[in-house]
Amino acid sequence: MSIHDSSRAKEMRCQVLVFGGGLGGVSATLAAAALGVDVILVEELDWLGGQLTAQGVPLDEGPWIEAGMHSRSYGHFRRRLRDYYRAHYPLTGEAHRTTELNPGMGNVGSLCVEPTVAVRVIDDLLAPFVSGARIRVLRRHRLVRAVIDRDRVLGLELLRLEDGSTLFVAADLVVDASETGDLLAAAEVEHVFGAEARATTGEPHALAVADPFDQQALTWCMAFDHRPGEDHTIDRPDDYALHRDLRIDGWPGAQFSWVVSDHVTHRPLTRQLFAGDTDEPYVFDLWHARRIAWRRHFLPGTYASDITVANWPQMDYWRRPAIGVSPQDAAAALREARQFSLSFLYWMQTEAPRHDGGIGYPGLRLRGDVLGTADGLAKQVYYREGRRIRAEFTVLEQHIGVQARPGRSAAEPFPDSVGIGAYRIDLHPSTRGRDTVDIDAYPFEIPLGALLPVRVDNLLPACKNIGTTRITSGAYRVHPVEWSIGEAVGALAAVALRHNLPPRGVRADAGRLADFQSTLADLGVPLRWPVYGALTPYTRRGYRPPRPEGR
């Protein structure tokens, strides 16, 4: 097929086309541009940053991130987030002096920030390359179709949402950094979704029978503050009664409750909204979990209330799958996920038992301004999984899971490692009504083989769509791992283009692989974990942020 046959309007060309502006897409774009490549970055939304910004999920990074176990570029990104607060926000003197500043003091990690701040920092990281015409960013562009020729993707036809015009972007190499692997389907790249069978993968926690529509719950995150004495109760959502009474198999009661199923043990676990004074930074309740603004870090009067992001077990929407279904069914799942989150908010405002013995928290006020929306919900639902490539190499539970590696004390070392990551194998309730799978994992490596499709020569995945299984995707899906995947893919694209090779050619030749790993090392990408016992395994003990100086 001719490229021009597919273009009904304008045409652009680049060396690397990155489809999707999440953290993987951003890091791939930055890495490729830093190595001299001309990149076009395409995003359907007006915000870049994916799960951190548009989906409203604060950084979930693990206990070794402040020890420097990340790439140079990710460390630079984290420093810029903190520097933005120091430069633009009226921090207290104590907060300004705190080296490991955590603006929200959320206990999910050591750097909880407002999504609006992360958006600005990401734009600033791209800005020098944009000014130098190395990077072009196309926001508000939606995929219409991929134009393919046998084992190559020639380019993408896009719809410009602002005016309805079409644009064709031709590229030498295409990166799928979409949240759900949409481009894999459009480009007819071999892929899987949902759950594999134990007979296929040999994984102890895989299902007995494969089920593509057994998918992790969606969560539509929202942000709010708390104004006691005020009434910010929302209108009663559609189907509120249905949502309020939903039960997951194995849970101790209705999903809308302060008593949930413990992720690991499945025993009843009390998770209240407030378990103590909101001024205390180290309380492990829902309010403190993903708090993104702690008012005590700022000069008096800056914030009337803390601001928190709700991304909690009670909000896991599991009634319908959203991947691999018809557009109508996917839209229905997204509508219900939004209603489900709003229903939980309404329950908290009107029916929830309060920590002081009363009923309801009507002072909970939606804060869409920090999420870039008018309704208080995130711009996009939080997808925990999507389509995954059939790869040259697939990461299995046996490679990283503690239980699946008896007699060993570390994850499988991969000779083709292109980065590192650390997270538990963490699967939320499934669309078949199954409870969580949350098990210990060792800090792991990212094998290059998992980034290479089995057939297509010039398409690479850059986020949750790599060659993992449904089990191991639960460990590779978090923010710093996605950044590392994208960074490796961007560098791989640049090296492959420089040598006029398909990306798989880099892995196929021992010398070229060694050279590529040296390039990554020069970029400040760690390929191995240090070997000492403090790093193994990643257990669910809860993260306790460092105390500010003097507190």
Side-chain angles (χ1 to χ4, degrees), residues 124 128 148 173 195 244 273 315 320 343 391 397 458 544:
D124 288 348
I148 58 178
L173 198 147
R244 179 189 58 197
L273 180 59
M315 298 165 57
R320 296 173 185 259
S343 292
E397 182 182 352
N458 72 329
R544 184 179 179 88

Side-chain angles (χ1 to χ4, degrees), residues 71 413-421 444-452 461 466 476 480-481 483-492 503 506-507 512-521 523-528:
S71 70
F414 298 125
D416 61 344
S417 174
V418 292
I420 62 172
F444 49 78
E445 297 171 1
I446 302 167
L448 178 56
L451 311 183
L452 300 171
I466 67 170
Y476 280 75
V481 184
W483 182 282
S484 295
I485 291 167
E487 186 168 22
V489 162
L492 176 62
V506 174
R507 181 174 185 255
R512 292 195 186 279
L513 173 60
D515 288 345
F516 175 54
Q517 290 174 318
S518 294
T519 297
L520 291 173
L523 291 173
V525 176
L527 305 183
R528 311 287 175 198

Side-chain angles (χ1 to χ4, degrees), residues 170-230:
D172 298 316
L173 198 147
V174 178
V175 174
D176 182 2
S178 62
E179 294 299 319
T180 57
D182 291 345
L183 186 51
L184 302 183
E188 300 178 13
V189 178
E190 289 80 0
H191 64 274
V192 298
F193 55 89
E196 295 93 344
R198 190 177 306 123
T200 301
T201 68
E203 296 172 304
H205 287 87
L207 299 185
V209 178
D211 185 351
F213 300 108
D214 190 304
Q215 300 169 14
Q216 286 188 78
L218 305 171
T219 299
W220 212 304
C221 300
M222 53 191 171
F224 41 75
D225 57 16
H226 185 223
R227 307 295 295 269
E230 299 179 5

Side-chain angles (χ1 to χ4, degrees), residues 221-438:
C221 300
M222 53 191 171
F224 41 75
D225 57 16
H226 185 223
R227 307 295 295 269
E230 299 179 5
D231 189 349
H232 296 281
T233 304
I234 63 173
D235 294 337
R236 181 184 170 104
D238 297 340
D239 296 328
Y240 171 67
L242 169 65
H243 295 156
R244 179 189 58 197
D245 297 331
L246 278 177
R247 293 170 179 260
I248 301 172
D249 287 348
W251 273 47
Q255 194 167 343
F256 287 6
S257 168
W258 298 139
V259 181
V260 300
S261 172
D262 183 278
H263 267 229
V264 179
T265 67
H266 296 165
R267 299 190 186 106
L269 172 69
T270 299
R271 295 289 304 277
Q272 298 181 62
L273 180 59
F274 298 115
D277 188 341
T278 59
D279 285 344
E280 167 58 44
Y282 304 110
V283 176
F284 286 88
D285 57 15
L286 294 176
W287 183 262
H288 290 73
R290 289 177 171 83
R291 187 171 55 180
I292 55 175
W294 185 38
R295 70 187 189 283
R296 298 300 184 188
H297 264 331
F298 305 90
L299 294 180
T302 305
Y303 289 79
S305 165
D306 301 345
I307 305 172
T308 198
V309 165
N311 174 20
W312 304 329
Q314 295 93 332
M315 298 165 57
D316 281 350
Y317 169 80
W318 46 268
R319 292 192 67 216
R320 296 173 185 259
I323 308 300
V325 298
S326 70
Q328 295 78 13
D329 287 345
L334 298 185
R335 282 194 302 270
E336 288 190 9
R338 289 178 64 87
Q339 286 294 307
F340 196 69
S341 290
L342 290 171
S343 292
F344 183 60
L345 173 61
Y346 185 78
W347 177 82
M348 289 191 293
Q349 291 174 324
T350 62
E351 296 189 44
R354 284 205 315 257
H355 65 294
D356 60 5
I359 298 295
Y361 294 96
L364 293 174
R365 180 179 66 167
L366 285 169
R367 291 293 304 273
D369 52 317
V370 299
L371 292 169
T373 65
D375 62 8
L377 273 68
K379 289 176 178 285
Q380 187 178 55
V381 74
Y382 176 32
Y383 292 101
R384 292 184 174 86
E385 65 178 83
R387 300 169 183 85
R388 306 180 296 276
I389 63 167
R390 292 195 181 276
E392 288 193 357
F393 180 86
T394 301
V395 181
L396 305 175
E397 182 182 352
Q398 298 91 305
H399 295 128
I400 68 170
V402 173
Q403 295 179 32
R405 295 179 63 76
R408 297 175 178 138
S409 60
E412 185 75 17
F414 298 125
D416 61 344
S417 174
V418 292
I420 62 172
Y423 203 66
R424 293 174 57 77
I425 293 174
D426 178 9
L427 304 181
H428 281 237
S430 82
T431 49
R432 298 302 195 194
R434 244 185 292 277
D435 207 345
T436 56
V437 174
D438 193 326

Side-chain angles (χ1 to χ4, degrees), residues 57-73:
V57 182
L59 292 171
D60 197 345
E61 300 173 311
W64 304 293
I65 203 74
E66 296 294 353
M69 297 311 302
H70 50 66
S71 70
R72 183 190 306 146
S73 69

